[in-house]
Amino acid sequence: MILILGGTTEGRAAVKVADEAGKPYFYSTKGEWQEVVCKHGKRLTGGMDEKQMEAFCRQHDIRLLVDAAHPFAVRLHHTVDCTSRALGLPVVRYERRYPPRSADICWCEDYADAMRKLEERSIDSLLALTGVQTIGALRPYWERHATWFRVLEREASVALAQAQGFDTQRLVFYHPDEPETSLLEQLHPQAILTKESGETGGFLEKTEAARLLHIPVFAIKRPTLPPHFITVTGEHGLRKQIEKWVPEFYLLRSGFTTGACATAAAKAALTALILGEEQRVISFCLPDGEEMTMPVAQTEIGTDCATATVIKDAGDDPDVTNGCAIVATVRLSDGSGIRFLQGEGVGRVTLPGLGLEIGGPAINPVPRQMMTAELSALYSKGLDVTISVPGGRELAQRTFNPKLGIVDGISIIGTSGIVRPFSSEAFVEAIRREVEVCVAVGSPRLVINSGAKSERFVKQRYPELPAQAFVHYGNFIGETLKIADSLQVKAVTMGIMVGKAVKLAEGNLDTHSKRVVMNKDFLKQLAAESDCSAETEKVIDCITLARELWTLLPAEDSEKFFPCLLKHCAAHCAPLLPHGELTIMLIDEEGNIPYCI
């Protein structure tokens, strides 16, 4: 069993990750006011001391503690630390992401240090953004100087301020829709005091507002966590740790893409070259900024180059590259920037339409971006990066690479860096659980997308919906719609990109590339049906990937072809949702939604 602690944004994200397993767990918050939306978690309220937490963990056979509390919840961190040591339990800390500490901020070790520095700089009027719980700690300052505290607009907050003898006329309330500059312009404080609360705590917004108005910022540094806490900064990292410590919690393990492996190997190689030391483990960032770690199997260091190898772990997905060595050689060069080169077992591009240079290595744009970001942060001059996959030439024969004009090896791919395990039964069951949660939280609409990329674009159309409203269908469009209908979902929006849309329009409700590929003859039928010009038929004959249709179709034909494509998609999907309303959005490569039905 798992115990998650904390009513923060990170706590809610941790609950979402745990809910995906469809198995019971506990979720504890100090108070009842924190918003908690979950289906399979058992809610606990009220803080526990060390003895209570230890007894609870023993009674319920807790095997993993997830600390997702506020970074300044020092007492809770201490209680979790003591409990984990007493029972030998691992602790995963779901940490916030913190911007680098800026030199123009006056950093303070604690509240006593903050008051001393405020006095030293003769700050006589202060806006404290540190919360109602800190009023007592700052008493020596506000008893002598004009001070406002911004707090949540709750009776409990006002009562706590009164109990500490603070003048409630100097309380100001937090309004999420109000710009941070508004309150500063109203009060004109000489300085603000805030806590290093990270990105989700609004730290950047507070400090930027103060900078715009030339108001000095004093910030309390976040407390140091116990060294044995295992830190993750996002949902993928949390899932990987749950899979490690409670392996039966999920039906299938997640894995890494070849792009993530290449990034880890390239960063390990450059780090080894710079430091002159073999690397055993390396950290790197996924495209969404989440930090991950990966073991390094081997490192070789030369005078002007280094090579590192990581072993691809696709989790329980039957990926042809699972267990393969992904090798990166990084060499210093006289040029500028980063040049990617084809190594053994990596494919070479021979046809247009892939968004890659013909003749160049089949390393997709997102993996290139990931590697460029990591390597550029370590070294500012020229680098040659060669990616190799021993045995990749043979593996490529079991993929669609030859049909795409990629020869001599596999592609280095992945848009999220993470492989969600592919098993029809398990994946569909995971979809069902997520849709059940969407229904349970009362979302007025279910928004289904193939993955993180399309979800990011469609989310902008529905900013008011809860996170649980967005569910990935992967390739199982038909099964997802059947699940939505069985759960009586009344409104469904499906975001789809053209690669899957051309398969769906032909009636393929499972769009996995292992089962179905783009049918050019069918696309020609659509072109004829929508009265497109002869030019469109020629374009269809020449394309390698469906996304080329966005740029190569004549503009006048696009306005006919894509609505016809969506009409066919709807004809196959609508019967699967007979009791609900279905909206289909066709998304282009830039994230625009030019066509909707």
Side-chain angles (χ1 to χ4, degrees):
M1 188 69 82
I2 298 170
L3 173 59
I4 300 172
L5 303 113
T8 58
T9 300
E10 291 72 30
R12 290 188 287 274
V15 161
K16 179 177 179 290
V17 173
D19 255 351
E20 291 173 359
K23 295 181 180 176
Y25 61 94
F26 291 101
Y27 180 55
S28 174
T29 61
K30 183 177 181 180
E32 297 183 356
W33 60 85
Q34 292 103 330
E35 180 188 1
V36 179
V37 177
C38 60
K39 178 174 175 59
H40 302 288
K42 183 175 180 180
R43 175 78 180 272
L44 309 171
T45 56
M48 291 186 275
D49 62 23
E50 295 166 32
K51 290 184 178 179
Q52 290 170 327
M53 187 175 291
E54 183 177 335
F56 181 88
C57 290
R58 288 184 187 277
Q59 179 184 353
H60 296 282
D61 191 27
I62 299 299
R63 294 167 55 195
L64 176 66
L65 297 170
V66 178
D67 181 351
H70 194 281
F72 283 78
V74 177
R75 181 175 298 176
L76 175 60
H77 301 323
H78 177 72
T79 301
V80 171
D81 181 25
C82 292
T83 302
S84 72
R85 292 178 186 275
L87 301 180
L89 294 176
V91 179
V92 175
R93 168 63 182 168
Y94 196 136
E95 187 61 289
R96 297 181 174 186
R97 300 177 195 176
Y98 298 94
R101 289 177 178 168
S102 176
D104 66 343
I105 292 175
C106 181
W107 292 97
C108 311
E109 298 299 327
D110 51 29
Y111 294 104
D113 187 37
M115 290 187 286
R116 181 179 60 81
K117 289 176 177 175
L118 288 166
E119 296 281 8
E120 286 177 354
R121 289 161 177 75
S122 301
I123 302 299
D124 198 44
S125 65
L126 177 73
L127 171 60
L129 304 174
T130 50
V132 69
Q133 300 284 348
T134 66
I135 289 178
L138 292 167
R139 176 187 292 275
Y141 181 84
W142 57 256
E143 284 182 335
R144 297 193 305 274
H145 304 281
T147 306
W148 296 269
F149 277 86
R150 188 174 73 177
V151 301
L152 296 176
E153 195 167 5
R154 290 197 296 248
E155 290 183 10
S157 298
V158 177
L160 183 56
Q162 287 177 323
Q164 296 179 89
F166 188 75
D167 180 4
T168 56
Q169 296 299 311
R170 286 192 170 271
L171 292 179
V172 290
F173 298 112
Y174 173 67
H175 299 291
D177 298 330
E178 184 178 89
E180 288 287 352
T181 51
S182 296
L183 188 57
L184 297 177
E185 291 171 332
Q186 175 188 337
L187 299 177
H188 300 290
Q190 288 181 306
I192 68 166
L193 176 66
T194 188
K195 296 185 289 191
E196 189 181 16
S197 54
E199 293 178 5
T200 57
F203 183 80
L204 287 172
E205 290 81 0
K206 297 169 189 174
T207 55
E208 185 57 32
R211 286 192 186 96
L212 287 172
L213 299 175
H214 306 289
I215 296 173
V217 177
F218 293 73
I220 310 291
K221 295 178 182 177
R222 65 186 185 273
T224 302
L225 291 166
H228 66 95
F229 281 23
I230 304 161
T231 300
V232 300
T233 60
E235 296 180 10
H236 298 304
L238 176 59
R239 173 159 176 159
K240 296 291 286 185
Q241 289 300 324
I242 294 175
E243 290 170 353
K244 175 181 179 180
W245 297 105
V246 192
E248 73 281 4
F249 192 69
Y250 293 100
L251 291 173
L252 297 172
R253 286 190 314 116
S254 60
F256 288 107
T257 63
T258 50
C261 294
T263 300
K267 184 177 181 181
L270 182 56
T271 303
L273 181 60
I274 292 172
L275 299 180
E277 299 175 357
E278 181 180 358
Q279 302 298 297
R280 298 294 181 87
V281 66
I282 197 72
S283 64
F284 64 99
C285 286
L286 298 177
D288 66 357
E290 180 179 350
E291 187 172 332
M292 305 292 288
T293 60
M294 194 178 294
V296 181
Q298 186 177 352
T299 311
E300 299 175 10
I301 306 172
T303 55
D304 66 345
C305 71
T307 299
T309 300
V310 302
I311 304 302
K312 165 75 177 288
D313 178 5
D316 288 328
D317 186 71
D319 191 303
V320 297
T321 59
N322 186 43
C324 288
I326 310 296
V327 185
T329 298
V330 177
R331 184 181 299 276
L332 307 182
S333 76
D334 295 330
S336 60
I338 295 172
R339 184 171 61 154
F340 294 98
L341 303 175
Q342 176 193 10
E344 174 195 355
V346 170
R348 176 168 50 85
V349 179
T350 65
L351 293 177
L354 296 172
L356 299 171
E357 178 187 3
I358 293 179
I363 303 173
N364 280 15
V366 172
R368 289 176 185 243
Q369 292 163 13
M370 292 171 66
M371 285 185 271
T372 298
E374 295 289 355
L375 301 182
S376 298
L378 296 175
Y379 188 76
S380 60
K381 297 181 182 179
L383 294 171
D384 285 345
V385 179
T386 303
I387 305 299
S388 306
V389 182
R393 182 189 293 266
E394 292 73 27
L395 290 175
Q397 301 309 309
R398 296 158 56 188
T399 73
F400 280 104
N401 268 12
K403 292 186 177 182
L404 298 175
I406 297 172
V407 301
D408 297 339
I410 67 164
S411 299
I412 304 301
I413 61 174
T415 56
S416 68
I418 296 294
V419 175
R420 294 195 66 169
F422 178 81
S423 157
S424 298
E425 182 179 346
F427 199 104
V428 170
E429 182 58 29
I431 293 171
R432 176 175 291 278
R433 289 195 295 268
E434 291 186 46
V435 177
E436 286 174 345
V437 173
C438 173
V439 173
V441 304
S443 175
R445 179 176 293 273
L446 168 67
V447 183
I448 61 175
N449 299 277
S450 61
K453 183 178 180 181
S454 58
E455 179 181 295
R456 185 171 71 252
F457 297 145
V458 176
K459 256 185 177 178
Q460 298 170 10
R461 295 291 184 99
Y462 298 105
E464 75 286 356
L465 293 181
Q468 292 79 8
F470 298 87
V471 172
H472 295 176
Y473 57 73
N475 294 291
F476 297 102
I477 296 172
E479 293 295 337
T480 304
L481 291 172
K482 291 176 186 177
I483 289 168
D485 187 64
S486 70
L487 296 173
Q488 300 179 7
V489 177
K490 297 303 180 186
V492 177
T493 293
M494 179 170 69
I496 191 166
M497 302 190 80
V498 71
K500 291 189 185 297
V502 298
K503 300 174 185 178
L504 175 61
E506 194 178 2
N508 298 295
L509 294 164
D510 178 350
T511 59
H512 199 285
S513 59
K514 294 177 181 177
R515 292 175 172 79
V516 59
V517 294
M518 176 178 63
N519 183 347
K520 292 186 180 182
D521 289 336
F522 173 70
L523 295 184
K524 291 178 185 177
Q525 292 175 26
L526 288 185
E529 180 183 330
S530 54
D531 197 28
C532 290
S533 66
E535 179 64 24
T536 287
E537 185 170 332
K538 294 179 182 178
V539 166
I540 292 171
D541 275 329
C542 295
I543 62 174
T544 305
L545 295 177
R547 67 180 182 221
E548 294 176 85
L549 293 168
W550 287 116
T551 55
L552 297 182
L553 285 187
E556 190 173 311
D557 285 355
S558 292
E559 296 301 320
K560 302 174 184 177
F561 180 84
F562 290 117
C564 182
L565 178 71
L566 272 188
K567 183 183 74 173
H568 279 261
C569 290
H572 295 294
C573 291
L576 303 179
L577 193 72
H579 304 104
E581 164 207 323
L582 176 64
T583 301
I584 305 178
M585 295 180 171
L586 185 62
I587 310 165
D588 69 16
E589 296 303 307
E590 283 71 46
N592 304 306
I593 303 176
Y595 303 100
C596 180
I597 190 171

